[in-house]
Amino acid sequence: MVTSTLQRVVLVAKHASFQSRCCVVSSRVQYSTVYDSNEKTFDKILIANRGEIACRVMKTCKKMGIKTVAVHSDVDASAVHVKMADEAVCVGPAPTNKSYLNMDAIMDAIRKTGSQAVHPGYGFLSENKEFAKRLVSSAGIYNCYPVMIKASAGGGGKGMRIAWNDDETREGFRLSSQEAASSFGDDRLLIEKFVDNPRHIEIQVLADKHGNALWLNERECSIQRRNQKVVEEAPSTFLDPETRRAMGEQAVQLAKAVQYSSAGTVEFLVDSNKNFYFLEMNTRLQVEHPITECITGLDLVQQMIRVAKGFPLLHKQEDIPINGWAIESRVYAEDPYKSFGLPSIGRLSQYQEPINLPKVRVDSGIQEGSDISIYYDPMISKLVTYGATRAEALQRMEDALDNYVIRGVTHNIPLLREIITHPRFISGDITTNFLPEEYPEGFKGHQLTSEGRRELVATAAALYVSAQLRSQRFLGNLRVSTTPQERRQWELCVELEKGSHAVAVSRSGSTFTVEVDGVKVEVSGEWNLASALLPVTINRTPRVLQCLSRDAGGDITLQYLGTQFKVRVLSQLVSTLSAHMPEKVPEDTSSILRSPMPGSVVAVSVKPGDVVAEGQEICVIEAMKMQNSLIAAKAAKVKSVHCKAGETVGEGDLLVQLE
């Protein structure tokens, strides 16, 4: 009987003669797992996925002495997971339905490489419809709103929408089915009752082929955007021991009822009274599995491989602890200022993970120089921090985000840092509506307090002066030997967020005293202008900023408390003269439609001469397996159309112009 996620890959391909020879494993920081070299599992495993999950599986396989085979599309030929593998096989071109969803090509790779097992990771084939969840029935009335429209074969928020009326149901059905077909090769949908304002809490289960099953505690996954998780933690601040046990026991009961064997996740919606409602069971490894590994000490990938080979579980329920607290932030190549995250593409010109910090784990499948393309999920990494307490784990996450260097693509670190430092999140008062409730007008970045503004202005002024002093030196000496004694005081003007501040700067060694709006701020640091990180101490408080750019004209971009701020530092004379420069007239955005992100045009609904109403769909853009409907900002006649279905467009490209 097929009881694991990976076996369904073989089953769907219908190669019966091959089934008996190839087992399939459904899909780190493990802190206490022992890798027994005498425990023989598999000689070779093929990983039918890409990115960080492929790399993560390969790391465990290496520890277990198992050779690995990577599959890849043609554009992924130089990807990190390909370099890590012992063997690699190209399974097709970039589109997922021709490569990572191409079961025939993957089956052929399994045969050619002699792989004994396959690990699908998550997404792609791990979401395939052929692995049915049996003995689970749901009864409900669907003639009332709201309803959830979701891909039957999917996960990760793709192919999922909430509809509050008939029109939204029709629109959601169309877009969700298209996304589902693109992401999973299956456009079938489910429609179920939507529970408004819940928490999303899931139970990790682990079961073997001998009738044993465990629940490995819960994960709190309520921080979401577009139904996709953004920040997760384990355990949940909300569950008491009784509710945790009840949810865990029901999750194990479900796994046993369907004779499931592997690691899996049973997801629930939990209301304010701790009533919980079954949502679905994911018969694979979840993106957020590392936080469970942190608090239990188990390596879930190792456990899956052992179970697939037929070994019994090594632990009993009473052996499963909750040791400490773990937080995971999903770091994406996305612009968080656009719908909480529209995709960004580009090459990672500079990339530095904060793995030098204690109790920090980064699961990634990229490196400096890697390309983020429109073809695949925009996840850069999973950033995980661990501590003895939740407060300790959160502080480490704050430090890790400040020390994470990502250049070349827009990323969502500003949003992640705002979430984990938000008073409501810190208190544990969260639901799946957290983001739209706290940012009803969209995410705007960190909002500076008067103290924060002074800190940023003072640091920018100190950095500007440090750069000026550095430019006067050559190999540690002054460029001109006759230069008089170095200046120790400066009168400057700092422009920030349409505000102007007259500042006075004095220096003593590596410490600057900056008077901002009559308040003195002391800033000290090493001022290494060649470093990606700028560690400073501001009024005895340590901070880590990043200088993203600076030029001779005094324009400086600083990442401060996670958010990028553009600052201009000028001398008093230049500031006075710049007031006479003409201002650039902003573009009238109501008459033009530009692409908010790089992607491909799925559909264009208008032509020149058409009259459109405000809010009417103009076109649909797909990027990284997500479809976005673009609408008219006003009622007008279409003047010109600059795109057509099937074309690739860049961020900011003109799509349609209105009269």
Side-chain angles (χ1 to χ4, degrees), residues 494-597:
V494 180
E495 298 174 1
L496 171 64
E497 293 184 334
K498 299 182 180 180
S500 182
H501 304 265
V503 302
V505 182
S506 61
R507 180 177 75 94
S508 175
S510 61
T511 299
F512 294 87
T513 301
V514 186
E515 186 173 323
V516 183
D517 302 330
V519 179
K520 290 186 177 181
V521 180
E522 189 175 276
V523 186
S524 61
E526 296 182 1
W527 307 106
N528 181 357
L529 303 183
S531 173
L533 300 174
L534 185 64
V536 295
T537 300
I538 307 175
N539 289 339
R540 299 184 179 179
T541 300
R543 302 271 192 210
V544 176
L545 287 76
Q546 296 185 33
C547 181
L548 305 181
S549 66
R550 60 184 178 87
D551 60 28
D555 289 318
I556 303 174
T557 302
L558 290 173
Q559 182 173 305
Y560 169 72
L561 302 181
T563 295
Q564 296 181 18
F565 292 93
K566 294 184 182 298
V567 185
R568 173 172 285 184
V569 184
L570 305 171
S571 67
Q572 290 287 4
L573 175 61
V574 173
S575 175
T576 301
L577 295 175
S578 66
H580 301 287
M581 298 293 290
E583 292 187 6
K584 182 179 179 181
V585 178
E587 184 179 47
D588 179 13
T589 57
S590 65
S591 298
I592 59 174
L593 181 67
R594 295 188 181 275
S595 179
M597 59 187 175

Side-chain angles (χ1 to χ4, degrees), residues 1 109 129 138 173 190 235 284 320 359 389 479 511 525 611 649:
M1 178 177 181
K129 65 181 181 296
S138 59
F173 187 92
L190 299 173
R284 56 173 170 81
I320 306 303
K359 301 292 180 68
T389 64
R479 288 182 180 273
T511 299
V611 177
V649 295

